[in-house]
Amino acid sequence: MRSRDLEKRLVQYLFYKHHDLNTTLRKISRELQMPYSTVRDVVQRLEAEGVVYVLRLEREHVVRLKDVSKALERGYLTPEMLFREFGYTTPLAARKNGVYIGDELFLTLPFKIRRHEAFDKLIELELKSRQFADPYLAGLGEWPRLSLLFYRAVLTPDDNLRRRWLAERGLESLGYYEPAYGFFAFLLYALRKTLGVDWEEAYCKALGLVEEYIKETRAGEGPVEGLVDEVLKNMRKICESVGRP
């Protein structure tokens, strides 16, 4: 198999396994039935191109897809594959593996955008909020914490067509579409623009809206709901610290 074919095969594997948290060199070698040394060499080439990144742990190297745009430009992925699978199979894979989809998907969409001030301000405020957060929650990072709240607030109800589609594939409807990704930066932008407030106040008002929505839509208690409450409580502390309760 030619080098380019190997690279394409590995990138497509990572695309479909984007929410598998165990995409190590050894697992890739085993599942693709490729020699470990070959997988290692292919990954090194893709890392140099900026298509993947490698998390180097003490005993394992975990490989993740870094930039969908570059994968498309180099022909490792096709637009048809991306559009067919991005909004459906990928969230289903996340559901199957029991993990939330992080906003890194939003950051690697196949089109280029200019970085907006709202994004920078959101990250700035989120990093400041770490000092008030429980160490475990702070360790989750900004996107997983924000995503957890946003998923809880914007689940889209299932319809009959979706339920039939799931049934044909042996899956049970959850009552809503598998969540995709959040856009807290846009929420901050919208509040700041419409209300004429500064970024800090927009951030705190966004939290207030999410808190109200969660309270009104809560159907019961459980571990995930408890985690949502804890995230909100931790994030709210930065508002109290700047006099924006």
Side-chain angles (χ1 to χ4, degrees), residues 12 15 37 40 72-73 132 140 151 158 168 171 174 224:
Q12 292 180 5
F15 176 74
S37 58
R40 182 192 59 211
L72 282 167
E73 290 169 4
F132 304 106
L140 284 178
Y151 295 153
D158 246 343
E168 289 170 2
L171 293 169
L174 298 175
V224 176

Side-chain angles (χ1 to χ4, degrees), residues 122 125-126 128-130 132-134 137 141-150 184 188 200 203-204 206-208 210-211 227-242 244:
L122 175 61
L125 289 164
E126 275 300 296
K128 286 181 179 177
S129 76
R130 281 192 181 194
F132 304 106
D134 176 274
L137 293 178
E142 280 59 59
W143 289 128
R145 286 189 287 128
L146 287 173
S147 298
L148 179 63
L149 298 185
F150 208 86
F184 255 72
L188 263 64
E200 287 78 6
Y203 177 83
C204 297
L207 283 182
V210 172
E211 285 172 328
L227 181 58
V228 168
D229 289 340
E230 194 64 26
V231 168
L232 281 169
K233 185 173 74 174
N234 279 236
M235 291 172 68
R236 173 60 63 189
K237 290 176 182 176
I238 190 174
C239 299
E240 298 167 357
S241 74
V242 294
R244 305 283 176 81

Side-chain angles (χ1 to χ4, degrees), residues 117 187-200 202:
E117 184 187 9
L187 181 58
L188 263 64
Y189 169 81
L191 288 169
R192 183 173 184 268
K193 193 82 170 178
T194 55
L195 300 178
V197 298
D198 58 26
W199 289 111
E200 287 78 6

Side-chain angles (χ1 to χ4, degrees), residues 25 64 89 92-93 109 137 157-158 175 182 185 191 214 221-222 227 235:
L25 289 177
R64 309 292 290 166
T89 300
L92 285 171
L109 280 171
L137 293 178
D158 246 343
L191 288 169
I214 287 175
E221 301 298 331
L227 181 58
M235 291 172 68

Side-chain angles (χ1 to χ4, degrees), residues 18-19 66-69 86 90 101-116 118-119 122 143 147 151 180-187:
H18 192 80
H19 302 292
K66 179 180 181 181
D67 195 324
V68 173
S69 298
F86 187 86
T90 306
I101 299 176
D103 289 73
E104 70 273 9
L105 281 182
F106 175 71
L107 301 177
T108 55
L109 280 171
F111 51 82
K112 292 180 172 63
I113 60 173
R114 286 184 298 170
R115 187 162 173 145
H116 195 280
F119 180 88
L122 175 61
W143 289 128
S147 298
Y151 295 153
Y181 50 80
F183 53 103
F184 255 72
F186 175 74
L187 181 58

